[in-house]
Amino acid sequence: MKIKQFLQFLTQQLTNWRRQYKGLRRKGKLMSSPKSKSHRRELVRTIVKNVILFLSKTNDKSIGVASRRHRRKQERALQSKAKSVKTESSICAIALDWVHEQRSLVILAIALVSLTAVIGHKLYNQTQLQIGNPAPQTITAPYTASIEDQKKTESQRQAVSQTSLQVLMINARMNEQINENLQRLLDNGNKIRAIAGAFPFFDPVVLSISTQRYLRSCPDLEWQALLVAVENSKNQYKKGTGQTTVSSAPNQEHQRRTTPTPQKTKLVDFSQNTDFIQAVAELESYRVTSENNLSLVISQISQARERYTQATAKLLQLETVTPEAVYEKSILLDLLDDEWKTTQMGIHQSAERILTQGIPQGLPKNILEDAVSLQLQSFVPESAESLAKNLLLAVLKPNLQKDEEQTRENAQKAAAGVSPVMMKVRYGQVIVRKGAQITAWNFKVLEHYHLVRWEIKWWELVKLTGIIAIAIAIFVWVERHVNYELRQRDRLLVLLLTLSVPGLVTMGLPYTTWSALGLLLGSFYGPILGLTVVGLLLPILAISLDISKAALLAGVGGGILGSYIAQRLRSREELALLGVAIALTQGGIYLVVKILIGQAFGSTWYLVLQEAGLFALSGLGWSVVALGLSPYLEKVFDLVTPIRLAELANPNRPLLKRLATETPGTFQHTLLVATLAEAAAKELGCNVELVRAGALYHDIGKMHDPLGFIENQMGGPNKHDTEIKDPWKSAEIIKKHVTEGLVMARKHLLPTAIQAFIPEHQGTMLIAYFHHQAQQMAQSEPSLTLDDADFRYDGPIPQSRETGIVMLADSCEAALRSFEASAKPMGEKRSLKDVSTEQALTMLNNILRAKWQDNQLVDSGLTREEMSKIAQIFIDVWQQFHHKRIAYPKLKASNAVRNL
């Protein structure tokens, strides 16, 4: 018996808890405090322990008296725990209910506290004694202490960091540039030597290197004299030996062709020129050994002289074109080919060594010259050292640059090694005298001794709170007079967006979120609320925060423009262009204000232009942020904007495509209802985009059973007459399209404003057709009980003008279709002129009157005078759909076939 009572008790407690949990969940008031959660966990834990105890005791046949007493104690403890949890849960539920009922006041209180906290952040922790103010009294040190003089410490650390050694690094790019310039100069030298030809140009055994240099570069006058001397020596030699002076004709002819004819000029005596004498002697010596080949040697010398002349001209031309006059003709062209190759290699090796060691900035020129000379001694022939030195000095540049990161690290390490400068303050020493100005050091000492006296400026904080409270009151008044009822989540979003502006200002960022605030508030709630928030923020921030007036006016200008225009735009592209306009507005206002106060002229004009550009960029940047956040805020806070409504009304949306495919008749009905409702909403000044989107989704629930609705039966049998034959079941099917529609809408995350059209377009209307059938059945069968609630929709009735218009359009569209069908006798077509417009208008007025008398529109905001206007609008739209057509003449069958 006790076991049964125990189980009944557990069942009852679990049932009560489950019922309470479902109730709180349905109301959206689940207990979320840590205390209530701990009580629930403890309750569950106690229940589980008792169940385990019960199961273990039932398996044991020998239960003693002590164990039964223990079990009774556990039962009593469980009952007391359940009662306490129930009591505390009730208290939490009551508290949550009160918070829910007073949620508007809670949001306003949060707004007041948060705005005051952010805007008045400087008022919480102020000091009575401040730097620059006179001391109210003479203050002495209460005890001896050593206090760090941060100013001196920082000064010493900066001095050490500035004097720390800089770390240099090789600039690889500069090395590449130097090597490229050096190679270009060497390539030019190779080209000039190629023009001059190989050197030596003859066998050094016959003609020495010095003689070849002389013969190739001597002036033409000396060359002519040398030829004459060689010729005279030849004639004297022949006379002394008794040889004939007549040579064979071929040899004479060859000599005339290869030997230049001496000019008939007065020859200069070169007997004192050692190079001249040596050249003549070597040629005469060669003539003695090989007389027949002398003319060939002279011809080869002449060719070398011509090439040397060309190379010299090219070298002069190069020196006039390029700024580097580094080549010395006598050295570049006089070097042997092997020496030139060695010189080039030595130049490259010397440059590589010098660049590897590094050339710092500001290195004296003589030190660089000495380093180059020292390197060249090991790699370049002595005769080419001057040329190689000129080449290197022409291209070598400083290739060491400062390693910023390593230098900074060294400076930081050096600064960190400096010990703090400690100043000893003795007991009784005067820190600051009465009336004297408090310096930074005085304030530091007072702060060390905790004599600064931190305080909250309550009076200033109360004044700021009052100002913010007045601003919030103005906002609430405007909200109630613009016919835009904000939900609590909307007020919370407005608060968060508003806090972003002073929040960034307090963080020290002047480029704050004015443009994003205006864009988002204007898009979500219209221009009036957006302008109200921006206008109220302007004086509050101006008197509460240290912010530039030019910056404040520039930001407010951008916010006003965004608030005023945002809701008029119908695409993201237009909003992006609005962001550009806001950017130009902010930059322009900042510049104009600076010009008006005279700060745009003078030496700092470029800084003003820079700041204006930064304000313009900040306006554009925050506009881009607002555009990016807009879709997420719309989802999170369940908002509908014109752009989102236009996206939802796109027939390619998955839900609308399904509606058109699965229920084509309902889709056509939906399009006609949307057209009627849109026209009425436009005339009455309602939200046209909301009406159109809501009308498109109002009957999506009919997809759960398409053939249950006559417009989808396409002339087929009516399942209500052939299969169901029960008005109660038929009414359930008809009513179910509302509940199923809500399920589909939530599944596809439609906004709440769109979901409202699904139940409210039917309100609590009576399903008249099946109600009439049920009445007839109840009259024939007295045992049947007829309850009107079974044939009425669950509601609610329309709560807005938009849902009320769709309800009227839905009823009138079906009536107009029925009226048009009844106006066409079977098997006969009639034109619109045969249908009485007055009759149709009378029928619609009767329908609207019935809806009004049935109290379906009492909460919609529509007036009785607007009913007649709506009926006339529906008739006008209906006539446009069924306009008159030209009556074509009837053709005979033969003519018709002929015309095909």
Side-chain angles (χ1 to χ4, degrees), residues 337-357:
D337 290 345
D338 294 338
E339 290 177 341
W340 175 243
K341 290 181 181 180
T342 305
T343 300
Q344 291 185 85
M345 293 178 60
I347 290 173
H348 280 297
Q349 292 176 352
S350 300
E352 183 177 358
R353 283 196 173 189
I354 294 173
L355 293 178
T356 302
Q357 294 175 355

Side-chain angles (χ1 to χ4, degrees), residues 201-212:
F201 57 86
F202 201 75
D203 188 1
V205 176
V206 178
L207 295 176
S208 64
I209 299 298
S210 60
T211 299
Q212 292 188 42

Side-chain angles (χ1 to χ4, degrees), residues 584-653:
L584 296 177
T585 301
Q586 290 195 176
I589 291 177
Y590 183 87
L591 189 59
V592 169
V593 172
K594 287 293 185 180
I595 291 174
L596 292 178
I597 62 179
Q599 292 186 4
F601 306 102
S603 59
T604 60
W605 62 268
Y606 63 93
L607 294 177
V608 175
L609 289 179
Q610 179 182 352
E611 282 295 313
L614 291 175
F615 270 100
L617 289 177
S618 70
L620 180 61
W622 285 117
S623 300
V624 172
V625 172
L627 290 177
L629 287 177
S630 179
Y632 300 101
L633 294 177
E634 290 171 1
K635 289 282 187 182
V636 173
F637 290 90
D638 192 22
L639 298 167
V640 287
T641 61
I643 295 176
R644 191 181 183 194
L645 291 173
E647 293 171 350
L648 290 173
N650 188 342
N652 290 320
R653 302 284 294 190

Side-chain angles (χ1 to χ4, degrees), residues 350-385:
S350 300
E352 183 177 358
R353 283 196 173 189
I354 294 173
L355 293 178
T356 302
Q357 294 175 355
I359 305 174
Q361 294 284 348
L363 183 69
K365 186 176 181 180
N366 60 333
I367 295 179
L368 181 61
E369 291 177 354
D370 293 342
V372 170
S373 300
L374 184 64
Q375 292 290 340
L376 293 175
Q377 289 177 2
S378 305
F379 301 106
V380 176
E382 183 178 358
S383 59
E385 284 186 8

Side-chain angles (χ1 to χ4, degrees), residues 578-746:
L578 176 58
V580 176
I582 290 174
L584 296 177
T585 301
Q586 290 195 176
I589 291 177
Y590 183 87
L591 189 59
V592 169
V593 172
K594 287 293 185 180
I595 291 174
L596 292 178
I597 62 179
Q599 292 186 4
F601 306 102
S603 59
T604 60
W605 62 268
Y606 63 93
L607 294 177
V608 175
L609 289 179
Q610 179 182 352
E611 282 295 313
L614 291 175
F615 270 100
L617 289 177
S618 70
L620 180 61
W622 285 117
S623 300
V624 172
V625 172
L627 290 177
L629 287 177
S630 179
Y632 300 101
L633 294 177
E634 290 171 1
K635 289 282 187 182
V636 173
F637 290 90
D638 192 22
L639 298 167
V640 287
T641 61
I643 295 176
R644 191 181 183 194
L645 291 173
E647 293 171 350
L648 290 173
N650 188 342
N652 290 320
R653 302 284 294 190
L655 209 53
L656 295 181
K657 289 179 72 174
R658 278 189 57 198
L659 184 66
T661 304
E662 300 176 13
T663 57
T666 300
F667 185 69
Q668 293 301 320
H669 158 75
T670 296
L671 294 179
L672 293 175
V673 169
T675 304
L676 294 174
E678 189 175 358
K682 187 175 183 181
E683 285 292 328
L684 298 180
C686 299
N687 191 334
V688 178
E689 290 83 4
L690 179 61
V691 167
R692 178 166 184 80
L696 290 175
Y697 288 93
H698 79 282
D699 269 348
I700 58 175
K702 291 183 179 181
M703 287 189 287
H704 86 283
D705 188 3
L707 295 180
F709 302 89
I710 192 169
E711 66 265 22
N712 298 313
Q713 293 170 2
M714 302 300 180
N718 191 336
K719 64 185 293 185
H720 296 284
D721 297 333
T722 59
E723 299 178 10
I724 302 176
K725 299 179 181 180
D726 185 348
W728 280 270
K729 291 183 179 180
S730 297
E732 284 296 326
I733 293 175
I734 299 301
K735 290 169 63 176
K736 197 174 182 180
H737 89 276
V738 172
T739 56
E740 290 295 328
L742 288 174
V743 172
M744 293 180 184
R746 294 184 185 118

Side-chain angles (χ1 to χ4, degrees), residues 398-469:
N399 68 331
L400 290 179
Q401 64 180 10
K402 184 179 178 181
D403 189 342
E404 298 289 346
E405 183 177 356
Q406 192 64 36
T407 302
R408 191 185 311 110
E409 290 181 1
N410 288 352
Q412 290 175 353
K413 290 179 180 179
V418 176
S419 301
V421 178
M422 306 301 293
M423 303 295 292
K424 191 171 184 179
V425 180
R426 300 184 179 278
Y427 168 74
Q429 181 179 340
V430 176
I431 300 174
V432 61
R433 297 188 180 278
K434 182 179 180 179
Q437 190 177 19
I438 299 175
T439 63
W441 168 247
N442 297 147
F443 188 83
K444 175 67 178 176
V445 176
L446 293 173
E447 190 177 19
H448 177 81
Y449 286 115
H450 303 288
L451 299 175
V452 175
R453 302 175 187 174
W454 296 91
E455 65 175 359
I456 298 176
K457 293 193 173 181
W458 291 105
W459 177 240
E460 298 293 332
L461 205 57
V462 168
K463 289 195 297 184
L464 178 61
T465 304
I467 294 172
I468 294 175

Side-chain angles (χ1 to χ4, degrees), residues 113-299:
V113 172
S114 58
L115 286 172
T116 304
V118 174
I119 297 176
H121 69 286
K122 290 185 177 180
L123 303 176
Y124 321 138
N125 215 11
Q126 293 290 329
T127 58
Q128 293 181 354
L129 303 177
Q130 294 184 358
I131 299 175
N133 293 343
Q137 61 185 13
T138 300
I139 305 174
T140 59
Y143 54 88
T144 302
S146 294
I147 304 173
E148 179 186 356
D149 190 340
Q150 292 182 347
K151 186 175 180 180
K152 292 184 178 180
T153 303
E154 187 64 25
S155 177
Q156 289 188 8
R157 288 176 177 173
Q158 288 183 357
V160 170
S161 62
Q162 290 175 359
T163 56
S164 62
L165 295 178
Q166 293 185 354
V167 179
L168 302 178
M169 60 183 297
I170 299 294
N171 188 342
R173 178 58 187 161
M174 179 58 69
N175 283 359
E176 292 179 2
Q177 183 179 353
I178 292 173
N179 289 325
E180 289 175 0
N181 294 335
L182 179 61
Q183 188 61 45
R184 177 174 56 82
L185 292 178
L186 294 177
D187 290 341
N188 290 337
N190 288 327
K191 292 178 182 178
I192 294 171
R193 287 184 61 87
I195 295 173
F199 188 78
F201 57 86
F202 201 75
D203 188 1
V205 176
V206 178
L207 295 176
S208 64
I209 299 298
S210 60
T211 299
Q212 292 188 42
R213 286 196 184 100
Y214 171 73
L215 292 175
R216 190 174 63 161
S217 61
C218 67
D220 290 339
L221 188 62
E222 288 188 36
W223 172 242
Q224 297 295 333
L226 188 144
L227 292 177
V228 172
V230 171
E231 185 68 23
N232 293 335
S233 175
K234 173 183 177 181
N235 293 334
Q236 292 176 3
Y237 173 76
K238 289 183 177 181
K239 289 178 181 181
T241 57
Q243 294 180 354
T244 179
T245 60
V246 180
S247 60
S248 62
N251 289 335
Q252 290 177 354
E253 183 65 23
H254 176 73
Q255 185 174 356
R256 280 195 300 269
R257 287 198 308 266
T258 57
T259 303
T261 303
Q263 297 180 359
K264 295 180 179 180
T265 58
K266 184 178 181 180
L267 297 178
V268 182
D269 185 10
F270 294 100
S271 59
Q272 301 300 322
N273 190 335
T274 56
D275 291 334
F276 180 87
I277 296 172
Q278 182 178 354
V280 172
E282 290 184 4
L283 289 175
E284 289 179 353
S285 176
Y286 181 72
R287 179 178 54 78
V288 172
T289 58
S290 180
E291 181 179 357
N292 295 331
N293 293 329
L294 180 61
S295 59
L296 296 177
V297 173
I298 293 175
S299 176

